[in-house]
Amino acid sequence: MNCLQNLLKEPPIVGSRSMRRPSPLNLAMVRGGSRRSNTVKTTQPPGASTSGAESSALEVGTEKSEVYSTNMTHAMGAALTYRHELGMNYNFIRPDLIVGSCLQSPLDVDKLRKIGVKTIFCLQQDSDLEYFGVDICAIQDYSLKFEDIEHCRAEIRDFDAFDLRLRLPAVVSKLHKLVNCNGGVTYIHCTAGLGRAPAVALAYMFWILGYSLNEGHQLLQSKRACFPKLEAIKLATADILTGLSKNTITLKWEDDSCSSVEISGLDIGWGQRIPLTYDKEKGAWFLEKELPEGRYEYKYIVDGKWLCNEHENITKPNADGHVNNYIQVCRDGTSDDEKELRERLTGPDPNLRDEERLMIREYLEQYVDAEH
């Protein structure tokens, strides 16, 4: 089975030399510890007062955290809270691996150096940093002053399981090489350290360190309350070993009285929309789109109102009682072996055989500098 060449090309990793995918390949749990997060915040000297400007900035930061937490809860399907104004927080998952929230100033670099961090691995996009006013250039420039720590960015869109799925091979490849080069402790962070960062850490544990997915997930959850998208990791694993093929789907909204129909979800996330095209002869709105195989949730926006199509598959209600439409995209011409492998890797208890983990490791190690 040799379908690795069918994987999509990924955007370059920011803050390092761009990467390209390799040529096709042939076919200890740590002792339990506290789940309490380490929070690092700036403190004032005794007797110092807080100015009006500082109080106002704190109020703005609190409000932004509340908005971010609300959006995160809705997008991730779990009650999650992030308080940016309280400072950087993190947990040791293993003695050599930390998952946490974003650095907020160059001073955080010093704090991480003191606990043995050799690699800071940032998954945030520029828009994430701008939202909370983080000066990433100052943090990067300060890191360059030291030989015992390296700062690297590998962007993944926030709240987007599809982008996570596509980006995981490139991101974990970069992470694996940095860990091999720098040693010591690795600090993986996104904005809150609750979605992207734990997912990347878990994929690294699954693909490289030899954990089963469920074993790694249990360890992760025992150390840090978080919500990595397991389905994205499962699909990315299957994509590496069986290839990533696409198929065309058609979605339809029957209504000739509305003025606009859009769709959100699918592979674009819930923050974007795709307009449907009206067919006057059929009196209905249509969208044709190519999607990689997998399960996708979506919802229609009809004249500004979010609606499900009762003629298409509908999910079970989540904890908040919300439902979405969903579609299962399958590839054409799948062999029985590929189908069995994909079903096993995307099932409830996926595990990698020794030869499969070796293939993934070799695949990740064969990323090369695009300039060379």
Side-chain angles (χ1 to χ4, degrees):
M1 193 157 29
N2 183 12
C3 300
L4 300 180
Q5 68 270 31
N6 295 325
L7 281 168
L8 294 178
K9 293 181 179 179
E10 71 290 305
I13 294 175
V14 178
S16 66
R17 292 171 293 186
S18 60
M19 312 287 283
R20 63 176 173 84
R21 293 193 179 275
S23 56
L25 297 175
N26 295 321
L27 252 147
M29 296 283 280
V30 299
R31 290 191 297 272
S34 171
R35 196 181 185 185
R36 188 179 68 180
S37 294
N38 298 280
T39 302
V40 181
K41 57 184 178 180
T42 303
T43 58
Q44 290 183 313
S49 61
T50 302
S51 69
E54 289 171 336
S55 297
S56 177
L58 182 61
E59 291 176 3
V60 171
T62 301
E63 182 179 344
K64 285 193 169 186
S65 292
E66 290 174 354
V67 172
Y68 183 86
S69 296
T70 299
N71 292 338
M72 179 166 53
T73 294
H74 290 164
M76 302 293 283
L80 301 170
T81 301
Y82 173 56
R83 299 290 301 278
H84 185 82
E85 66 278 8
L86 296 183
M88 179 177 66
N89 71 83
Y90 59 85
N91 297 89
F92 276 87
I93 309 305
R94 293 165 37 102
D96 59 353
L97 182 63
I98 302 174
V99 171
S101 65
C102 64
L103 282 70
Q104 300 186 14
S105 78
L107 293 177
D108 287 333
V109 175
D110 288 331
K111 295 160 187 172
L112 294 179
R113 290 178 65 227
K114 289 180 180 178
I115 58 173
V117 171
K118 302 298 183 184
T119 302
I120 301 170
F121 200 63
C122 171
L123 304 172
Q124 294 176 284
Q125 294 187 306
D126 287 346
S127 57
D128 305 329
L129 298 159
E130 291 165 2
Y131 180 77
F132 283 111
V134 175
D135 186 348
I136 188 65
C137 292
I139 293 172
Q140 289 175 315
D141 289 344
Y142 188 70
S143 299
L144 290 173
K145 295 181 179 181
F146 306 100
E147 295 182 355
D148 62 349
I149 195 165
E150 181 175 359
H151 186 287
C152 180
R153 294 180 66 190
E155 297 182 15
I156 299 175
R157 277 202 303 266
D158 209 355
F159 314 141
D160 192 332
F162 182 77
D163 192 57
L164 175 65
R165 168 190 177 179
L166 294 187
R167 296 283 294 132
L168 269 176
V171 171
V172 175
S173 170
K174 183 65 177 179
L175 174 63
H176 177 44
K177 291 177 181 178
L178 285 167
V179 172
N180 283 345
C181 178
N182 297 336
V185 181
T186 300
Y187 186 85
I188 304 175
H189 77 86
C190 46
T191 297
L194 301 177
R196 291 169 288 180
V200 168
L202 181 54
Y204 174 71
M205 294 163 67
F206 183 36
W207 293 348
I208 300 297
L209 298 184
Y211 292 83
S212 72
L213 187 63
N214 289 350
E215 178 188 27
H217 186 232
Q218 289 170 5
L219 173 60
L220 187 65
Q221 292 282 16
S222 73
K223 305 295 183 178
R224 184 174 180 84
C226 56
F227 197 72
K229 288 289 189 179
L230 297 182
E231 191 67 19
I233 301 173
K234 293 177 182 180
L235 289 168
T237 307
D239 292 342
I240 291 175
L241 292 174
T242 69
L244 183 59
S245 65
K246 290 185 175 183
N247 216 337
T248 301
I249 64 160
T250 300
L251 299 176
K252 176 183 178 182
W253 182 269
E254 294 190 57
D255 187 348
D256 59 2
S257 63
C258 55
S259 59
S260 72
V261 180
E262 301 168 301
I263 277 183
S264 187
L266 293 176
D267 62 333
I268 62 168
W270 295 105
Q272 301 183 61
R273 302 180 182 187
I274 307 174
L276 276 68
T277 301
Y278 182 66
D279 187 318
K280 190 173 182 179
E281 292 183 3
K282 298 180 179 179
W285 302 77
F286 292 90
L287 173 69
E288 283 196 359
K289 186 171 178 59
E290 271 197 339
L291 291 174
E293 65 179 307
R295 186 178 185 271
Y296 300 87
E297 295 188 13
Y298 59 96
K299 213 156 192 174
Y300 291 89
I301 304 102
V302 181
D303 288 342
K305 298 178 68 174
W306 290 70
L307 301 170
C308 280
N309 189 335
E310 62 182 17
H311 303 295
E312 296 169 358
N313 294 326
I314 297 178
T315 63
K316 294 179 180 179
N318 62 14
D320 296 324
H322 297 298
V323 296
N324 298 317
N325 286 121
Y326 75 90
I327 188 168
Q328 185 73 42
V329 181
C330 300
R331 71 169 70 189
D332 294 326
T334 304
S335 69
D336 290 340
D337 287 345
E338 287 181 341
K339 184 177 180 181
E340 185 277 330
L341 175 59
R342 200 163 190 99
E343 288 177 352
R344 172 166 61 83
L345 293 177
T346 57
D349 188 19
N351 200 358
L352 290 169
R353 296 168 181 163
D354 290 343
E355 64 273 17
E356 292 166 350
R357 183 169 278 111
L358 179 61
M359 287 181 63
I360 291 177
R361 180 190 289 267
E362 291 177 346
Y363 173 74
L364 298 177
E365 289 175 350
Q366 285 188 42
Y367 276 88
V368 296
D369 192 326
E371 296 176 1
H372 292 14

